[in-house]
Each structure stands twice: as C-alpha cells, then as structure tokens.
Amino acid sequence: MRTEQTHFWFCARRSMVLELIRRFCPKPVETLADIGCGSGYNLTHLQTYGEHLVGIDRLVLLSPQMKTLAPDTQLIAGDVQELPLGNKSVDMMTSLDVLEHVDDHKMLRELSRTLKSNSILIITVPAQPWLWSNRDIQAGHKRRYTKTTLTQILEQAGFTIRYVNYYQFLLFPLVVISRFLWKKRQFQAYEENPGKITNHVLLKISMIENWLAKRGAKFPWGSSLVVVAQKC
C-alpha cells in the first residue's frame, strides 16, 4: 500500500482517473465499485464520488488497514471474471490495470452485466504490444493493448467509447530504455523504488501530462491507455 501512496506512477494515474470521474460523472453515484482493487487504497480517494463503495479483489481481505482508511467501504474477496455482484447493481466502475491479467472478454462481460445502463466505466491497461518484456511476465500480464484492440473488445461487450487516450507519453522514452535494462536486478529495484528526488521529478512530469490531457491533448503514443466507456 505504501507504494501506491507515494510512487509517481500510481499517484499520477490516480490523479488522471479522478479528473475523468469529475468530467464524465460529476455528481456522486449511489454505488461505485473498484474492480481488481488490490490493496484497496484507491478507494480512499473515491469516497466523495460514491455513497456506497465496493472493492473486489481475490486478495483484498489481506488489507485490514483499509477498514481504518475507508471504514464504510465494502471489501469483497472475489474473481473479477465472476463478480459477486447482482445484475445492473453498480452505477460506476473503475478497473485499473487489471484487464491484462485475465480473460478480457469474460471480465468485460461481467462488468457489462453488473453495470446499470448508461453507467460509466474507467479502465487503464498497458499499451504497445511491442513493449512486451520480462517486466510483463513478472507482473503476470497476458497481453498489452493498442487503442484499436482495447476499444473493439469494449464495444463487443456492449460499451460505447466516450474517451480514449494514451498516457505516460512524456516519459515514454524512459519506458523504452527501461525495458532493455529490466533484466538487471539493480534496475528493477530502482524502477520499483526510485529515489525521493527522482520520484518527485517524474511525478511533476506526469502531472504536466495530466494537465495537458485535461485541456484536450491527445497523445499519439504512450506506455499505457485509459478509456472511459459507457454501458449501452
């Protein structure tokens, strides 16, 4: 959980997602679910956007500190491909870097089943299949996406695309270099735990990118993709 609180990558992604929620779903919803919530830390930042928060992950119950950070959140241990939720029971969903770990068609059918009509889904995934490396294997990824492949499977599952963009565009050259260096153990440790100054600088660059995206910038590439989709 500490990594999610301080690491530039998690902080910038969270800031981007919150901005998209404010843009596409400005009023708080009744039920907001984070699918594949991991430690559940992101739910602490979602409390003002949903009256009832639900976090689902196979290992979510291993994070008891969440009961202190978000006491009203319902944490459920469950499979994202077989959600323990009723049909059309959720008003908004987030699922951040989860889809690439599972059968994406099966998971998206479940998200579609449990979302109410016209509800918003925000998804992030790793992009650029040619970036595939040992980093993906160690992370348990099954694939990386292009803008076309991601939007197609969302549309097949019954979603309309409201917004799609690459992110981590400004830092993309560093990502490419890092994939060639990933086999070196020292570099792996540094990427996962950058020094305080490095982390601060990379966060500032990422936040500049978020600022540009907020003002309508469309990036031609990036190491990740974000999509806002609406249940038809």
Side-chain angles (χ1 to χ4, degrees), residues 6-217:
T6 60
H7 195 286
F8 80 91
W9 189 85
F10 288 100
C11 293
R13 185 188 67 176
R14 183 163 53 247
S15 175
M16 175 187 64
V17 169
L18 294 177
E19 176 56 36
L20 290 172
I21 290 175
R22 289 189 288 268
R23 175 178 170 184
F24 289 95
C25 195
K27 295 182 179 180
V29 298
E30 182 178 346
T31 303
L32 192 164
D34 188 22
I35 308 302
C37 64
S39 71
Y41 179 70
N42 283 332
L43 288 162
T44 65
H45 292 267
L46 296 172
Q47 294 179 81
T48 59
Y49 304 102
E51 297 176 13
H52 177 216
L53 295 185
V54 179
I56 297 177
D57 197 285
R58 284 185 173 180
L59 303 177
V60 72
L61 297 183
L62 297 180
S63 303
Q65 59 267 53
M66 277 300 300
K67 287 297 183 182
T68 300
L69 294 172
D72 297 326
T73 298
Q74 182 182 8
L75 301 176
I76 304 173
D79 188 343
V80 299
Q81 299 169 104
E82 296 180 5
L83 293 175
L85 298 170
N87 294 344
K88 299 183 180 180
S89 60
V90 180
D91 299 282
M92 181 167 61
M93 278 184 179
T94 58
S95 187
L96 310 182
D97 291 272
V98 179
L99 197 65
E100 67 273 14
H101 293 272
V102 298
D103 182 327
D104 49 9
H105 291 279
K106 188 173 182 179
M107 177 178 167
L108 289 175
R109 284 197 298 269
E110 278 293 277
L111 300 189
S112 180
R113 176 185 68 81
T114 54
L115 269 172
K116 295 179 182 178
S117 297
N118 300 316
S119 295
I120 291 296
L121 165 67
I122 299 178
I123 278 188
T124 61
V125 296
Q128 314 295 358
W130 62 268
L131 274 181
W132 183 268
S133 69
N134 288 336
R135 176 71 177 87
D136 293 283
I137 296 171
Q138 291 186 18
H141 295 172
K142 293 181 180 295
R143 68 196 73 83
R144 300 181 74 93
Y145 294 84
T146 65
K147 188 182 292 186
T148 299
T149 57
L150 181 59
T151 56
Q152 282 181 345
I153 61 170
L154 280 162
E155 289 170 345
Q156 290 169 7
F159 291 94
T160 298
I161 306 303
R162 295 283 305 277
Y163 173 89
V164 59
N165 206 358
Y166 286 104
Y167 71 98
Q168 289 296 295
F169 166 72
L170 296 179
L171 294 177
F172 191 70
L174 292 180
V175 175
V176 175
I177 293 172
S178 74
R179 292 304 164 259
F180 288 102
L181 297 176
W182 182 254
K183 293 182 180 180
K184 297 183 179 181
R185 291 180 179 272
Q186 291 180 337
F187 185 83
Q188 291 181 32
Y190 190 72
E191 182 175 326
E192 294 172 358
N193 297 286
K196 186 175 181 179
I197 295 176
T198 301
N199 191 68
H200 178 75
V201 171
L202 295 177
L203 177 58
K204 287 294 185 182
I205 295 172
S206 298
M207 294 304 288
I208 290 172
E209 181 175 307
N210 286 351
W211 181 86
L212 293 170
K214 181 179 178 180
R215 280 150 183 80

